[in-house]
Amino acid sequence: MKNTFTLLGLGLLLVACGGETSENERFYESDYKPDTTQVTGPSPQAAGSANNAVAMDQGAKLISLSDCLACHREDEKLVGPAYVDVANKYEANDKNIDYLAGKIIEGGSGVWGQVPMTPHPNISKEDAREMARYILTLRKE
Ligand code: HEC
């Protein structure tokens, strides 16, 4: 009696597996084309965070669009100090961001040496603040 049940069970198992196989076969033989655009394309969420990253790096973008890189590198001294050194010198607070934004617009010398930084009268206060804010995020110490 026990054996009959076992056989019955095995039989059912085989039927079940058989069913599954033919289901798979139907899947692969059909013209069904999975829509991969959903998988490979950026999800709305990913696009959102990418936009955030762009917004956060606004300062970096403004710096790359201006002439700053002619005299500054992020991590080595050129004509002007490395931005990392600037970030290590000033705490990232409103007062320092204001001060550095003013310096970016007005230029000047005497803080890092006698070589003057050229003034940038065409940069708006907001853009200069974005640049300063970005530079101060580079702090390493
Ligand atoms: C002609 C070269 C030159 C260019 C172009 C230049 N800088 Fe400078 N920068 C300097 C020098 C030199 C100093 C150091 C000035 C000093 O010792 O007071 C300096 C200093 C700085 C400081 C630190 C200021 C301080 O008082 O500690 C910041 C921030 C800065 N530059 C940002 C920028 C940004 C942003 C730009 C682009 C809009 C830029 N610089 C373009 C040469 C330059």
Side-chain angles (χ1 to χ4, degrees):
M1 201 57 185
K2 225 178 173 189
N3 282 343
T4 319
F5 275 125
T6 314
L7 278 176
L8 204 69
L10 273 174
L12 282 173
L13 209 68
L14 282 172
V15 170
C17 287
E20 222 175 275
T21 310
S22 60
E23 186 84 359
N24 281 344
E25 273 165 8
R26 239 181 291 144
F27 178 83
Y28 286 116
E29 282 163 10
S30 73
D31 290 346
Y32 174 72
K33 298 237 174 9
D35 182 9
T36 48
T37 52
Q38 278 293 316
V39 183
T40 50
S43 71
Q45 228 171 348
S49 55
N51 286 340
N52 284 347
V54 169
M56 274 176 63
D57 282 341
Q58 182 67 16
K61 196 173 146 204
L62 288 166
I63 285 172
S64 72
L65 292 175
S66 189
D67 65 351
C68 324
L69 297 175
C71 296
H72 292 282
R73 291 286 180 273
E74 279 195 3
D75 49 16
E76 66 183 297
K77 184 186 180 311
L78 216 61
V79 180
Y83 286 148
V84 172
D85 292 338
V86 176
N88 287 340
K89 182 176 165 75
Y90 304 95
E91 218 180 290
N93 59 35
D94 266 3
K95 192 166 149 270
N96 287 336
I97 290 175
D98 266 347
Y99 160 73
L100 292 176
K103 176 96 168 203
I104 291 168
I105 293 170
E106 284 151 34
S109 67
V111 179
W112 299 87
Q114 290 318 303
V115 184
M117 165 147 158
T118 48
H120 296 81
N122 295 330
I123 294 178
S124 73
K125 186 86 185 178
E126 294 91 82
D127 283 0
R129 280 180 57 90
E130 279 302 317
M131 291 173 175
R133 197 191 50 73
Y134 168 73
I135 291 168
L136 294 187
T137 64
L138 301 173
R139 178 183 272 255
K140 288 251 169 80
E141 278 169 4

